[in-house]
Amino acid sequence: MTSRDSASFEITPEVLLRAYACGIFPMAESADDPTLFWVEPEMRGVIPLEGFRIASRLARTVRSDAFTVTVDTAFKAVISGCAAPQAGRDDTWINKRIRDLYVGLHELGHGHSVEVWDKDELVGGLYGVSLGRAFFGESMFHRARDASKVALVHLVARLIEGGFELLDTQYVTEHLRSFGAVEISRRRYRALLDKAIAGEANFGKLPVDRPVRGAEVLGIIAARG
């Protein structure tokens, strides 16, 4: 289900949070389209935190700390990375209005990013929104092999450690399915969402002022699974 707004309709970060609490999120047709439309999928993608799967090769990459992973240090750069053309995708739904709204959420403490670095170069990452004990994944990107996957592994460990219950992926792709993502009905999703946003979680339970080692991240996930 979708509904389109006009370019002049006032959507603030606070309005956006209320939309997430109702199970809807915004998208744009393209980077050049100033309008947004609200989306509430019939079938919603989620990754059950207790069922998160990591391929053995990826686990070795995470454990090796080949990349440095940080949190909330380059939020705008991560959005720019997600908005840039990538292999198999020339256009993006992330327009200026989307960027401004999510930067606003970041400034309010609800927008978060996970950054993956190769020395001083940002080579991957993801961003999303936290509300209560729910985290809404928005987009991810990579410029080096496995970089976005490493970001997702670190995110899941942080959500588990912080007491989150729901990881919303909006839709399910084959890429996300390999990690355990599933589709659930709108009704089931709303029940999980209502329960999750009524609680409290701590995105910063794992350190945010320094990188967390891959072995610790994998240990957290293994203990939950």
Side-chain angles (χ1 to χ4, degrees):
M1 182 176 70
T2 63
S3 66
R4 184 173 297 275
D5 77 324
S6 69
S8 61
F9 184 82
E10 181 65 17
I11 301 176
T12 64
E14 292 81 4
V15 168
L16 189 52
L17 279 179
R18 290 198 292 272
Y20 274 107
C22 294
I24 61 178
F25 56 88
M27 295 186 75
E29 288 289 355
S30 70
D32 299 325
D33 186 349
T35 64
L36 303 180
F37 57 91
W38 295 108
V39 183
E40 186 181 15
E42 289 285 349
M43 299 297 293
R44 194 72 166 237
V46 300
I47 296 180
L49 294 176
E50 68 280 1
F52 186 69
R53 299 197 298 262
I54 309 173
S56 57
R57 185 185 63 79
L58 177 60
R60 288 194 296 271
T61 300
V62 172
R63 187 175 288 107
S64 74
D65 291 319
F67 299 112
T68 301
V69 182
T70 59
V71 172
D72 288 347
T73 66
F75 189 85
K76 291 181 181 179
V78 168
I79 291 188
S80 294
C82 292
Q86 297 188 48
R89 189 194 72 192
D90 296 328
D91 205 355
T92 177
W93 52 269
I94 301 173
N95 62 7
K96 182 181 184 302
R97 204 161 164 212
I98 290 278
R99 294 187 196 215
D100 291 345
L101 281 170
Y102 285 89
V103 168
L105 286 182
H106 177 61
E107 292 170 350
L108 291 174
H110 290 278
H112 298 287
S113 59
V114 178
E115 305 97 16
V116 180
W117 307 85
D118 183 359
K119 298 181 177 63
D120 294 329
E121 182 184 0
L122 182 66
V123 294
L126 58 81
Y127 76 97
V129 177
S130 66
L131 183 62
R133 300 178 75 175
F135 188 89
F136 309 88
E138 283 297 315
S139 188
M140 60 175 63
F141 80 100
H142 70 277
R143 299 184 184 123
R145 182 180 182 183
D146 289 340
S148 62
K149 296 178 182 178
V150 170
L152 181 58
V153 172
H154 275 256
L155 171 69
V156 167
R158 182 168 294 275
L159 297 183
I160 291 171
E161 189 72 5
F164 286 79
E165 293 182 353
L166 176 63
L167 173 51
D168 171 14
T169 67
Q170 299 178 350
Y171 300 102
V172 173
T173 63
E174 287 306 310
H175 171 67
L176 293 175
R177 201 180 299 277
S178 69
F179 289 97
V182 296
E183 283 187 325
I184 60 176
S185 69
R186 181 186 297 169
R187 180 177 180 181
R188 174 63 177 155
Y189 173 78
R190 286 300 304 273
L192 294 175
L193 176 63
D194 290 346
K195 180 174 180 290
I197 63 174
E200 293 185 7
N202 181 6
F203 191 81
K205 181 72 178 296
L206 281 180
V208 297
D209 58 347
R210 61 171 176 82
V212 179
R213 296 186 65 85
E216 182 179 357
V217 164
L218 293 172
I220 292 168
I221 293 172
R224 176 63 179 263

